[in-house]
Amino acid sequence: MDIRRHVPRTDVVLADPRLAAAIDRLGRTMVKSAVADAQQRARAGEIEPARVADAAVAALPAGAATLRPVINATGVLLHTNLGRAPLSAAARTAMTDAAGCTDVEYDLATGTRGPRGRGAVQALLAACPPAAAAHVVNNNAAALVLAATALAAGREIVISRGEMVEIGDGFRIPDLLVSTGARLREVGTTNRTTRADYAAALGPETGFVLKVHPSNFRIEGFTAEAGVAELAGLGVPVVADLGSGLLAPEPLLPDEPDAATTLSAGAALVTASGDKLLGGPQAGLLLGEEEIVTRLRRHPLARALRVDKTALAALEATLRGPEPPVTRALRAGADGLRHRAEQLAKELTARGVDVPVVDAAATVGGGGAPGVTLPSAALALPAEHAGPLRAHGVVGRVDHGRLLLDLRAVDPADDHLLREAVLAVTRDAAPDLRKGR
Ligand SMILES: *Cc1c(COP(=O)(O)O)cnc(C)c1O
């Protein structure tokens, strides 16, 4: 008998209410292709013809995009590969609300064009009173490119040899600056640069002095650095790339620069990321003197670096709304983290899986505070579980042959998901892998 006759036709399969709903969520093309694959498997005898709709439903992703939510159990608060700062519920809502048509560049009172993203700009100025003006672009790299282009193209940016930073994935700030047509005037040495070094390099060609926060490394020992306050008196604008996005001092990270202090010390402009310690969406923040910010905003390149409306909404909600997840993770007490880990271990034991709780050291990550460790607590599993857990969307860190699931960067509301993922992988594992280490 020809089995093909029994494979249901596409229109019959698509009448399944689960697939009809999936078309609304994912679009017809994706659903039809899943159905075609399932029909093919039925023709090949791999599945029962009656199960074609089930197989198509099982093969469909949860959403139309391939980006998958993950749980960051790496102990690195700001993990660039995992999307850096997770947004607060308030920021997520603001983002969704702005996703349709919105008055991002429109004045509803007058019915005319309005300044783009004024709400986010006002929130920034409220959070950082020493800033006279602010502008938001796509990310901090874009903020630097805009500043270099508008203030120093064809001229010189004076920068210390100790601040020639590679930010990650092979991208280097000096290369970024030179790509704008500015020339770098390097001063000082890797470990020591003084005010006199800067002063000697200034001249008619100077666009500005740039201070770059060494956000992912530290120089220790015989060192010297000229601060913004010392350089502000030199008669040229001082631009400071802060990286981390702190607007005000954070007592837990005393060495991390913030916009308010840096501007009060005399910087003309600061640049920073929105998705690092600020805890918001990807964005580049420019705060500083009115005249300079206006020049940047009006520069033709500003249009090419324009920030998305949903990012503006999330940024404003991050600034005005409740404490973002990154701040909560940063400030979490070690005892509370230990308690969460022990609670998880207890629940796992009750279901037949023994996983030890260990002390761990979390870090802020490439986004700031190099060298700072934050006491944390982790579940320790055999390293062999790392891959299967990633398949469940849980990313841990392998340390001395063990897989640590560090709770500091995990949203407490996700603890149960972490627990279920651990249960799923330990249940599937060979018996000798079932115990933690
Ligand atoms: C992270 C960082 C950047 C790049 O910021 P993006 O928002 O990722 O473009 C630039 N400078 C410093 C000092 C940084 O830490």
Side-chain angles (χ1 to χ4, degrees), residues 407-431:
L407 290 185
R408 188 173 276 278
V410 176
D411 186 336
D414 287 344
D415 282 0
H416 70 290
L417 297 175
L418 190 73
R419 182 193 65 215
E420 294 307 311
V422 170
L423 278 170
V425 302
T426 47
R427 261 201 309 263
D428 294 345

Side-chain angles (χ1 to χ4, degrees), residues 60-280:
L60 284 169
T66 55
L67 287 177
R68 277 188 58 187
V70 299
I71 292 180
N72 175 8
T74 62
V76 180
L77 262 53
L78 297 164
H79 200 302
T80 299
N81 302 157
L82 301 181
R84 286 198 189 146
L87 296 178
S88 66
R92 290 170 199 230
T93 303
M95 211 163 195
T96 310
D97 290 347
C101 289
T102 183
D103 61 344
V104 64
E105 228 175 273
Y106 187 75
D107 186 335
L108 285 169
T110 60
T112 56
R113 181 185 203 115
R116 186 177 178 84
R118 59 201 170 286
V121 166
Q122 279 159 9
L124 274 173
L125 296 179
C128 182
H135 182 60
V136 184
V137 290
N138 192 44
N139 60 10
N140 188 19
L144 277 170
V145 162
L146 184 57
T149 309
L151 309 176
R155 300 171 69 209
E156 287 179 354
I157 297 172
V158 183
I159 181 171
S160 162
R161 292 193 171 92
E163 298 175 13
M164 310 279 276
V165 179
E166 174 169 321
I167 45 184
D169 195 24
F171 288 103
R172 296 172 167 175
I173 287 180
D175 298 345
L176 186 77
L177 297 169
V178 166
S179 76
T180 68
R183 294 189 304 277
L184 293 190
R185 180 72 184 264
E186 300 173 23
V187 298
T189 60
T190 308
N191 55 326
R192 292 176 67 85
T193 306
T194 63
R195 180 184 189 275
D197 292 322
Y198 287 94
L202 300 185
E205 287 296 291
T206 307
F208 58 85
V209 165
L210 179 65
K211 290 284 296 172
V212 178
H213 175 51
S215 58
N216 52 12
F217 71 102
R218 272 203 313 203
I219 298 182
E220 282 173 53
F222 184 51
T223 62
E225 180 193 352
V228 167
E230 278 181 87
L231 301 177
L234 290 174
V236 297
V238 176
V239 176
D241 171 16
L242 306 181
S244 70
L246 285 180
L247 296 178
E250 165 57 55
L252 281 174
L253 303 172
D255 294 334
E256 202 57 23
D258 67 276
T261 306
T262 308
L263 289 170
S264 297
L269 185 74
V270 300
T271 75
S273 296
D275 55 355
K276 292 183 179 173
L277 287 169
L278 188 76

Side-chain angles (χ1 to χ4, degrees), residues 338-348 357 415 419:
R338 181 95 202 173
H339 178 77
R340 275 171 63 198
E342 277 164 3
Q343 180 64 31
L344 277 171
K346 211 167 80 187
E347 291 163 7
L348 288 165
V357 171
D415 282 0
R419 182 193 65 215

